[in-house]
């Protein structure tokens, strides 16, 4: 099995910063794209940022210039540095990874989610 475990969420005032981390572990042969999604109450889950193995990144427009995604391939870990947070960033943040498991099958795995709350 493959597990993704997130950490780093919490409560922060508007303008503050948080750093999320997500570690993939288990029966992993290789990890391809990794990313962060978020889901606010009453809204659909949306892609926030993603990073390829070669560290090519994409961001949703609302976080460009404020959030930075990065990864450590040796540790199967992805990070999301969130600066200049605004109340609209409040959501549950989920880590996602495309993993080649020991069965030689690519599959998408999700973390359990970590709450980020930005107060005004």
């Amino acid at each position: 099995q493959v597990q993704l475990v997130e950490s780093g969420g919490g409560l922060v005032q508007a303008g503050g910063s948080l750093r999320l981390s997500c570690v993939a572990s288990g029966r992993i042969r290789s990890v391809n794209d990794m990313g962060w999604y978020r889901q606010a109450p009453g809204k659909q889950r949306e892609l926030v940022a993603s990073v390829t193995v070669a560290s090519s990144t994409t961001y949703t427009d609302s976080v460009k210039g404020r959030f930075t995604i990065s990864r450590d391939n040796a540790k199967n870990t992805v990070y999301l540095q969130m600066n200049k947070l605004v109340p609209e960033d409040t959501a549950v943040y989920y880590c996602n990874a495309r993993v080649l498991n020991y069965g030689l099958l690519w599959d998408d795995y999700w973390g359990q989610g970590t709450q980020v709350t930005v107060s005004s």
Side-chain angles (χ1 to χ4, degrees):
Q1 291 189 349
V2 175
Q3 300 84 34
L4 271 61
V5 178
E6 301 126 334
S7 61
L11 173 64
V12 64
Q13 288 189 333
S17 298
L18 284 173
R19 188 188 194 215
L20 305 183
S21 300
C22 172
V23 180
S25 63
R27 298 175 63 81
I28 296 173
R29 292 183 64 91
S30 181
V31 180
N32 201 339
D33 292 359
M34 303 184 81
W36 289 94
Y37 289 71
R38 67 186 179 187
Q39 187 166 20
K43 295 188 177 181
Q44 289 189 336
R45 188 174 299 189
E46 65 169 348
L47 175 64
V48 176
S50 65
V51 58
T52 68
V53 171
S55 292
S56 177
T57 59
T58 59
Y59 298 92
T60 191
D61 286 345
S62 63
V63 308
K64 286 180 181 177
R66 300 188 298 121
F67 291 11
T68 302
I69 190 170
S70 61
R71 65 188 288 169
D72 184 332
N73 291 331
K75 297 180 180 179
N76 289 332
T77 300
V78 63
Y79 306 97
L80 186 68
Q81 177 66 44
M82 304 185 293
N83 299 328
K84 300 179 181 178
L85 285 160
V86 298
E88 291 74 24
D89 295 319
T90 296
V92 177
Y93 284 70
Y94 296 91
C95 173
N96 171 268
R98 188 151 183 84
V99 173
L100 180 67
N101 57 36
Y102 274 30
L104 298 181
L105 295 174
W106 287 100
D107 205 352
D108 284 319
Y109 293 88
W110 294 88
Q112 79 284 358
T114 185
Q115 177 70 47
V116 171
T117 302
V118 184
S119 63
S120 57

